[in-house]
DNA sequence: GTCGATGTTGCAATATGTGGCAGTGATCGT
DNA sequence: ACGATCACTGCCACATATTGCAACATCGAC
């Protein structure tokens, strides 16, 4: 094939592809003109390169160049208004499960933020959360003690994460935990976007006396890659609409109760 | 010809959109004129960008620019609007003391929030704070790593406090710390309202390579009960107006430099 | 109400994307 | 060795997208 020949004044295609991907990783986007100048090839050639890489799913082509795919879910600020009504209903149902004196853990996410909103009428709770917005909201409610879990802040979630957060979390004795999730999978489990998220939620299930997942119906149609260990030990899954019958059945077999908010 | 100068002639549309959303996250609003200047494109182009993003529901267009949707911003405490101009000047001066790669600690309080605001133009910093609002603000600035210190949340400060916060704080190696305070006392020291606050600030002085107190002029006339141990080891006190001559002299004798922002 | 700043629209200029075609060099079969 | 074939590339012509300009409509402050 190509014995790593000394650079023949022109970079070969694989070398270009490598460099293009490297730049994408570093800068997030590349332009056709810039690459054509850098490799000293025509713009058509660069476009063909980008087309190839695009067909392999390694980048997305935009007018003037190419951009990297955002691997994660959209940022929190973009999600907060989606299905607001359904989330509020879930919040009311979740708040109904809480009584005075309890220690409550609230996961980060827009649905759990709605749960926090619904809890502003309650008193005498100890709240434990890694979400900046939930802490900010509930710390002003009289009678609530809020413990913020520290750690590196994830901009997408607007919440602390990482090893420090896991360690801080593990110190608490929690009566009830409300967790978010990435999707409700066809086999009746809640799944997640990231290893870290799945691990954190798994630990919380083990830590809390009772754990409920809160998922609005926009999560039904999705698929996310990570299973959450211990899921079957959760007490329930609170949703705002009836999922497909087979998913409900699969969930019932696992154990957690399906609760439909209204 | 063109040694790959970092002049890609023009940012691609997706890159502009990304930056617009980043600024929205950091500052809450953007203006058409400001963006047109920044990207070196016409105002029409920016308006078309904003229209697109608006159609996708990612921002709201207002006269002169665009604003982020606020899910439920709890009313900002009254303090934050007092002497806003002076605090902004302090913020600019403080931000001028910071350079790329530093680890910066930001205390809780409205003046340090102004410092954080002034830092949104910077990059490549590690921020360490117990303030919920500062963490929320700076986590959206690309290039900044934000570490939220956990602990019990003090509703008045909207920040973590207590033993957990002290412990988390002590793990960091900090290049520069910006601390608030209760008052600038007649004998040239910054004093505090509470034992816990004074203790926390004292430890931070010991921990950081350089420590600056930031105090707006409304703190000049006050008296608060607690001295801050180690105060004389602070590098400076940044204020927005010239304090009384005898106070300035007393401060000069202690050691910290008096810096008047403008 | 007036005036300056901002938003809107149509249009022209420029930049970019697409497909066809030909030249080049390497590979391979004969 | 020779020619056919193929992958790759650049050039060209044409389609499309994006942008800036200018004229006009609106908004908002005073």
């Amino acid at each position: 094939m190509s014995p790593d020949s000394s650079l023949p004044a022109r970079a070969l295609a694989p070398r270009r592809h490598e460099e293009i991907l490297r730049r994408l990783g570093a800068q997030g986007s590349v332009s056709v003109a810039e690459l054509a100048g850098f490799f000293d090839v025509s713009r058509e050639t660069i476009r063909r390169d980008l087309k190839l890489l695009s067909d392999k799913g390694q980048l997305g082509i935009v007018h003037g160049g190419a951009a990297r795919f955002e691997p994660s879910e959209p940022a929190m600020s973009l999600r907060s208004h989606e299905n607001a009504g359904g989330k509020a209903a879930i919040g009311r149902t979740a708040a109904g499960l809480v009584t005075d004196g309890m220690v409550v853990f609230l996961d980060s996410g827009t649905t759990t933020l709605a749960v926090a909103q619904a809890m502003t009428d309650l008193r005498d709770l100890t709240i434990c959360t890694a979400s900046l917005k939930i802490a900010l909201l509930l710390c002003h409610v009289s009678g609530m003690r809020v413990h913020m879990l520290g750690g590196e802040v994830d901009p997408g979630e607007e919440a602390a994460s990482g090893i420090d957060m896991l360690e801080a979390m593990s110190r608490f004795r929690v009566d009830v935990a409300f967790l978010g999730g990435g999707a409700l999978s066809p086999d009746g489990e809640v799944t997640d976007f990231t290893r870290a998220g799945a691990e954190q939620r798994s630990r919380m299930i083990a830590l809390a006396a009772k754990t409920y997942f809160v998922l609005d119906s926009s999560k039904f149609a999705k698929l996310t890659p990570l299973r959450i260990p211990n899921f079957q030990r959760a007490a329930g899954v609170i949703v705002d609409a009836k999922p497909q019958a087979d998913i409900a059945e699969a969930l019932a077999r696992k154990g957690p109760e399906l609760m439909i908010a209204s």
Side-chain angles (χ1 to χ4, degrees), chain A residues 237-260:
Chain A
V237 178
I238 308 175
V239 297
D240 65 325
K242 206 170 161 58
Q244 292 179 353
D246 52 345
I247 295 183
E249 278 172 33
L251 174 58
R253 277 196 301 274
K254 303 269 182 190
E257 178 187 2
L258 180 64
M259 307 169 75
I260 300 174

Side-chain angles (χ1 to χ4, degrees), chain A residues 112-134:
Chain A
T112 46
L113 181 58
V115 174
Q117 192 79 53
M119 286 187 179
T120 53
D121 294 333
L122 300 174
R123 295 287 180 279
D124 192 24
L125 294 177
T126 299
I127 304 290
C128 177
T129 186
S131 160
L132 295 170
K133 280 194 174 158
I134 289 176

Side-chain angles (χ1 to χ4, degrees), chain A residues 104-248:
Chain A
V104 179
F105 176 86
L106 286 171
D107 198 3
S108 52
T110 54
T111 312
T112 46
L113 181 58
V115 174
Q117 192 79 53
M119 286 187 179
T120 53
D121 294 333
L122 300 174
R123 295 287 180 279
D124 192 24
L125 294 177
T126 299
I127 304 290
C128 177
T129 186
S131 160
L132 295 170
K133 280 194 174 158
I134 289 176
L136 208 44
L137 173 67
L138 294 182
C139 75
H140 292 298
V141 177
S142 71
M144 290 215 186
R145 292 165 300 285
V146 176
H147 194 100
M148 176 75 204
L149 301 174
E152 297 155 40
V153 176
D154 175 345
E157 293 288 329
E158 294 177 338
S161 62
I163 180 72
D164 288 318
M165 184 272 180
L166 284 177
E167 188 196 317
M169 194 177 82
S170 65
R171 294 191 196 155
F172 280 81
R173 187 199 61 76
V174 175
D175 292 306
V176 55
F178 294 100
L179 304 184
L184 184 58
S185 81
D187 58 338
E189 291 201 10
V190 175
T191 57
D192 217 322
F193 288 96
T194 64
R195 255 313 301 278
E199 175 65 19
Q200 175 218 315
R201 294 187 172 97
S202 167
R203 290 201 191 187
M204 183 46 68
I205 294 172
L207 215 59
K210 289 200 166 203
T211 301
Y212 296 89
F213 280 88
V214 289
L215 290 176
D216 76 292
S217 49
S218 71
K219 305 283 175 62
F220 289 179
K222 291 183 183 171
L223 283 174
T224 58
L226 277 303
R227 297 184 60 205
I228 297 175
N230 279 331
F231 170 75
Q232 70 285 353
R233 290 186 44 198
V237 178
I238 308 175
V239 297
D240 65 325
K242 206 170 161 58
Q244 292 179 353
D246 52 345
I247 295 183

Side-chain angles (χ1 to χ4, degrees), chain A residues 18-159:
Chain A
E18 198 177 308
E19 172 69 9
I20 288 171
L21 291 175
R22 196 191 62 73
R23 289 187 168 219
L24 263 186
Q27 314 170 15
S29 69
V30 292
S31 89
V32 171
E34 162 199 341
L35 292 169
F38 180 76
F39 294 120
D40 191 28
V41 296
S42 71
R43 286 189 282 270
E44 290 89 334
T45 301
I46 295 296
R47 274 189 220 104
R48 285 162 181 145
D49 287 341
L50 296 182
K51 178 83 164 53
L52 267 176
L53 293 170
S54 166
D55 289 345
K56 285 204 286 177
Q58 304 193 9
L59 49 76
I61 290 183
V62 300
H63 198 89
R68 158 181 45 158
F69 287 123
E70 290 303 332
S72 55
E73 59 177 328
M76 180 135 177
S77 50
L78 312 181
R79 291 177 280 144
S80 55
H81 281 280
E82 291 171 6
N83 194 12
K87 284 173 180 168
I90 291 173
R92 286 191 298 274
T93 301
L97 297 168
V98 173
T99 56
D100 274 0
M102 277 187 171
V103 178
V104 179
F105 176 86
L106 286 171
D107 198 3
S108 52
T110 54
T111 312
T112 46
L113 181 58
V115 174
Q117 192 79 53
M119 286 187 179
T120 53
D121 294 333
L122 300 174
R123 295 287 180 279
D124 192 24
L125 294 177
T126 299
I127 304 290
C128 177
T129 186
S131 160
L132 295 170
K133 280 194 174 158
I134 289 176
L136 208 44
L137 173 67
L138 294 182
C139 75
H140 292 298
V141 177
S142 71
M144 290 215 186
R145 292 165 300 285
V146 176
H147 194 100
M148 176 75 204
L149 301 174
E152 297 155 40
V153 176
D154 175 345
E157 293 288 329
E158 294 177 338

